[in-house]
Amino acid sequence: MNRSFASDNNAPVAPEILKAIAAANKVDAPAYGSDEWTARAKQRFRDQFGPETDAYFGFNGTGANVAVLASLLRPWEAVLCPESAHLQTDECGAFERFSGSKVIPIPTQDGKLRPADLEPYLKPVDVHFPQPRIVSISQATEYGGVYELNELRALCGYAHERGLYVHVDGARLSNAAAALGVSLKVMTAGIDLLSFGGTKNGLMYGEAFCFLKPALGGTTAPFVQKQAMQLASKMRYIAAQFDALLTRDLWKRYAGRANAMTKRLEERVRAIDGIRITRPVRCNAIFATMDRSAIERAQRDYAFLVWDERLPEVRWMTHWATTEDDVDAFAAALERAVFPK
Amino acid sequence: MNRSFASDNNAPVAPEILKAIAAANKVDAPAYGSDEWTARAKQRFRDQFGPETDAYFGFNGTGANVAVLASLLRPWEAVLCPESAHLQTDECGAFERFSGSKVIPIPTQDGKLRPADLEPYLKPVDVHFPQPRIVSISQATEYGGVYELNELRALCGYAHERGLYVHVDGARLSNAAAALGVSLKVMTAGIDLLSFGGTKNGLMYGEAFCFLKPALGGTTAPFVQKQAMQLASKMRYIAAQFDALLTRDLWKRYAGRANAMTKRLEERVRAIDGIRITRPVRCNAIFATMDRSAIERAQRDYAFLVWDERLPEVRWMTHWATTEDDVDAFAAALERAVFPK
Amino acid sequence: MNRSFASDNNAPVAPEILKAIAAANKVDAPAYGSDEWTARAKQRFRDQFGPETDAYFGFNGTGANVAVLASLLRPWEAVLCPESAHLQTDECGAFERFSGSKVIPIPTQDGKLRPADLEPYLKPVDVHFPQPRIVSISQATEYGGVYELNELRALCGYAHERGLYVHVDGARLSNAAAALGVSLKVMTAGIDLLSFGGTKNGLMYGEAFCFLKPALGGTTAPFVQKQAMQLASKMRYIAAQFDALLTRDLWKRYAGRANAMTKRLEERVRAIDGIRITRPVRCNAIFATMDRSAIERAQRDYAFLVWDERLPEVRWMTHWATTEDDVDAFAAALERAVFPK
Amino acid sequence: MNRSFASDNNAPVAPEILKAIAAANKVDAPAYGSDEWTARAKQRFRDQFGPETDAYFGFNGTGANVAVLASLLRPWEAVLCPESAHLQTDECGAFERFSGSKVIPIPTQDGKLRPADLEPYLKPVDVHFPQPRIVSISQATEYGGVYELNELRALCGYAHERGLYVHVDGARLSNAAAALGVSLKVMTAGIDLLSFGGTKNGLMYGEAFCFLKPALGGTTAPFVQKQAMQLASKMRYIAAQFDALLTRDLWKRYAGRANAMTKRLEERVRAIDGIRITRPVRCNAIFATMDRSAIERAQRDYAFLVWDERLPEVRWMTHWATTEDDVDAFAAALERAVFPK
């Protein structure tokens, strides 16, 4: 199979991660997180996100989002999110089914929520409508965009003044931090709840859900983790991966590489007439339109998504293992697809 | 850490399994199960459990039980199970929360359900009570026991005549099959729904949930798998493990080893006055009573569970990696704990 | 208290309805719907809505909507509705909590869904997103509008071709039918699922949820009715009310009166400068804008809602008991509020 | 139809209750409980149950139980109740479906929970099992028994010391209080949560769910009431009934009459050879065994339940409207059924 440009979850596991798993495999260890790897990985989260961070590990992104939101919400409380949010469009209603709460999707131009978008949904308390309690945003966004730090600050300020928590779906937080050139801590200043992605940044499996401020999840999160089927018996193997990822800035190396490869692809593609990039390129995704027949030709050799059938608009993603040669070969294939002989 | 006798989930990952993971890591692969490892692993399940088997992979045992039961049940239908079932005692109500259905626990002497136990719960249809629809049993049981083949046949016959499906929580099905000396197919003849354990038998993570007869889960299981947060994006790494486990009878080798080590421990322990084995020893668990002070002394060096504080009754488990030396050393430690100098 | 123009649920119970209750009160009767009143009321529904109608009775409108939708939907199936739907805005997420399913709100201009609105939501089957299965519309709409018969036909045709059911939230179906001058049967031709309102049209309590085509709710609805806490033990008292309402066109008399009083109010109000009617007036509701200070003055004597604080837009409703004198007095009060001396 | 001895919910509505409804029907009134009848009825509850009582009104008994329990519980917390509890046997899992929590049924001899019954279920906090949080008992019990005041005190003391709340399913609390000859306040001293029945004691519909101590339900109950589909729009008609029931001891008159008629029936029946009363007769129910053929003969003229098909054991209930003549005629019919000519 050629390098996939379909998704960063098509990537293999990074070698340092696999090594960390093997290193955790030498002895017996207690189950359900009472092991030394879990303790160490939790400490890494405190190191990277601040000393009050309370991190839990789950299996996948949907699980992490559900668990962190349901740890805080009562079933008559609601989550406000962009209508493009993974939570709204790609989790098959897992959150609603598990929590009983309502997700209220808000239309946006670019997948980013701004204070003015929230305002119409914030009304006086009334039993007839679920009470908004959490604002959930994706950083990076599902369109490959990023919130600038001042945008995050403005949104958090607005939300906190109105008694709302801010959750970041950070399935690609590393990519956003690498794009902005800031630490994870700076990236998440002011944020209350975080889903931190591992699988899309070199891990085999494992996502973290984090309470970044004291007393947010302490008494409820362990039960929610268990009920949400996210409590691994052999927890050490998730923990060991995160321990490695958050050591010596591996997260930044992987995400930086993914971003750089997308940047390279962007340059190549901008030179091709017949391909139009449709959204700002900030992280590891490019959205573009091209002829339907060109798409079909390109897909004969390379896997990538048709994001919006109607335009048609495609999405190309790179990941930690994408190489310069991969990018160049893919760009050449795209060019051939657009201008077949 | 000394070898753990606390649980088979304290074991490391078996070397062949780790190798299979590494072998699956060389290229990019499609996500969410559209990969070749998943196809191959599903075929292995058909080979081992019969050609009509429809297998799905989830992350953990609770997830597998919830997904397979919820694929069939409507929220006004109920599951009948022994009150000692993992589903009732150790899944924190995950099934009830996710499915809305009711688990009806039935008292038993030994953790095994028999037709006569079911009878009082089978009444004419009535909207005032959830309608029993699935009988769930554990093979091996939570007490280390096994259902004999004729017991399984009798239970299935009784259930099917009354329109009930039979589900087996097979977190330790391999141990039961190894104990009975039968194939997985013979072991599950007549069964409708199966949770097949991997994590307790040498895997890093991964449990399968299987529909053993046609048309049971086909249209619903994929959605339930997703909603139950059990759909891995990098599915190939679970599939590769099961592919290996079900090849060249690895499952039997691991489980057989675990059972044999328990048998060895049983022999050693029966010779120790002051320890009384309380339940039949069939698989990889021994239940025993001993002095509270002896327990405390033994636990200084070895991890194991106090199952019932009141007696007190302890549980000792072995697993694929337990060695004869481990057993002998542990037995010696128990003896010293019972007869301290 | 002056006549309320806040809602048709501020009305008292109509005298014929109270009489029917008293008539049902002379003897003992079986509980939970095994009584003669329930049998008769179910027959009335078949008479009015067609011989295949299967009607059940619940307590309130939220209960009826939840029960009828949840009788058909699996938790990974979704309801498409206008974002102004009562189901979306006024039921506090009861449906999501009870069913686990997702409501997908669709923006509209006037609270009415048209086929083109649905199209973007109908994609190929994919486990990552809840599968649309029911289109739910309100007739009359929450803005006092009505779907014309040809609009209903077009919507049903479009939906049925795509495997979707059509549900009508008919909390005010009687008002819509009276406005269109058609029978309930003509009004609901092609519709699959119906919540039929009683409380807003003269009843004390009681809403019906109906399956208008064979085999839609038969085996599931009774259990859902019970689980949704909508199964009355003394069912006869709901049934007797519906029996009366659907006899000798009482429903039309009440709804027609409510509509006529709104029409009268509309005429009066159109003559008042400073009040602007904002939406088409078809049934028993008027939406209008006026000065904030005028609203405050008017509300000193009369109860009515401020629908949208920002404009501000108010809503005035009439009901079966509103009289011409009530309307004239209210219109006069509005005029005084707009032009205070 | 002859007087029914099947259930107290077969009774008509008591005349004073119907009168109270009619009296509430003269004017328009605000919806959803913002009316004067609701305010007055809530005051009646404070008068009868203590000044800290916070009462809400729902439609039926299942709804009241679900709403009061779900107002307090998180989904990983459990309710302990006798396995004979209505909550466990007759609510079709509505509670589990709505709340996601687990009901843990405890076997008892007589439908009454005692501290020793609870002990085995109270273990150290552990994420693997739902945490018991509420003990729910029925007063009167489903077997027609009553808890004595000292039994209630002992149970409450035991529960409170262990951080558990005590809920009383008081669908027939009036009958228990009448049987014990105490006020409702004395009856419920120490209790935290109460479902107070109206429908079985002369009402048309309506049950109250009450928080008897400060700060138990305040912020959550209104939302749960709405989500549980128990918030009546025309609330005044439930409130007016409760207002009447709790005025001038109507509750005691109705329940006392029901109890007295059962006492009279007991005396008559004890004189009939071939009928054996199987349980203590304290309130308005008699349980008895008699020949299967005698049951069939008696059921030709009178409605009553076969409680346990296997013995067979029957249940006879009386209610507020049962007369001495009804009892005597029924006893005579039973005698004829036992000794047919």
Side-chain angles (χ1 to χ4, degrees), chain A residues 298-318:
Chain A
Q299 285 185 327
R300 281 177 211 151
D301 294 322
Y302 282 94
F304 59 86
L305 290 192
V306 178
W307 184 262
D308 186 334
E309 282 286 356
R310 291 170 303 177
L311 305 178
E313 185 184 37
V314 299
R315 188 190 73 176
W316 302 316
M317 294 204 95
T318 57

Side-chain angles (χ1 to χ4, degrees), chain B residues 5-247:
Chain B
F5 290 83
S7 174
D8 32 17
N9 64 24
N10 289 8
V13 185
E16 296 85 355
I17 300 299
L18 216 48
K19 214 171 292 173
I21 286 175
N25 199 44
K26 299 187 185 318
V27 293
D28 283 16
Y32 299 115
S34 310
D35 61 273
E36 57 184 282
W37 293 267
T38 301
R40 205 156 51 226
K42 282 173 167 268
Q43 182 56 46
R44 292 274 182 255
F45 273 86
R46 287 190 290 271
D47 296 344
Q48 294 283 343
F49 290 93
E52 290 169 335
T53 300
D54 195 9
Y56 297 82
F57 305 114
F59 292 111
N60 67 1
T62 298
N65 279 344
V66 168
V68 76
L69 295 171
S71 290
L72 226 82
L73 280 190
R74 307 291 304 239
W76 53 89
E77 295 174 333
V79 181
L80 302 174
C81 69
E83 70 175 3
S84 55
H86 196 269
L87 175 67
Q88 170 69 5
T89 67
D90 276 279
E91 303 188 351
C92 200
F95 172 70
E96 289 89 339
R97 179 160 191 187
F98 180 79
S99 74
S101 293
K102 201 173 175 79
V103 173
I104 301 176
I106 302 180
T108 70
Q109 286 301 327
D110 57 0
K112 288 163 66 176
L113 270 189
R114 293 167 181 88
D117 300 320
L118 297 175
E119 212 189 327
Y121 297 88
L122 304 177
K123 297 173 190 160
V125 171
D126 178 350
V127 298
H128 293 279
F129 195 58
Q131 304 301 295
R133 188 87 174 118
I134 297 180
V135 177
S136 178
I137 60 173
S138 301
Q139 174 77 318
T141 74
E142 288 77 8
Y143 294 131
V146 295
Y147 288 82
E148 308 298 332
L149 293 185
N150 63 339
E151 291 179 312
L152 289 175
R153 236 165 310 163
L155 191 70
C156 286
Y158 182 90
H160 291 155
E161 273 171 32
R162 283 150 189 85
L164 300 166
Y165 293 106
V166 178
H167 166 251
V168 165
D169 179 347
R172 296 185 182 104
L173 191 76
S174 299
N175 300 86
L180 291 173
V182 298
S183 71
L184 294 172
K185 190 167 177 182
V186 166
M187 172 92 279
T188 54
I191 301 300
D192 304 287
L193 306 168
L194 172 69
S195 305
F196 180 67
T199 315
K200 289 180 158 76
N201 197 26
L203 266 53
M204 187 184 302
Y205 66 111
E207 307 279 310
F209 56 101
C210 307
F211 304 88
L212 301 181
K213 294 179 185 162
L216 285 184
T219 57
T220 63
F223 289 102
V224 174
Q225 180 185 30
K226 172 73 186 176
Q227 285 197 312
M229 300 164 267
Q230 299 299 304
L231 182 66
S233 59
K234 295 183 172 176
M235 182 78 86
R236 57 171 146 167
Y237 298 105
I238 302 182
Q241 296 180 72
F242 273 112
D243 182 20
L245 187 71
L246 295 184
T247 302

Side-chain angles (χ1 to χ4, degrees), chain A residues 84 110-112 138-147 172 176 283 285 287:
Chain A
S84 56
D110 57 359
K112 288 163 66 175
S138 300
Q139 173 78 316
T141 75
E142 289 76 9
Y143 295 131
V146 295
Y147 288 82
R172 297 184 181 104
C283 295
F287 291 77

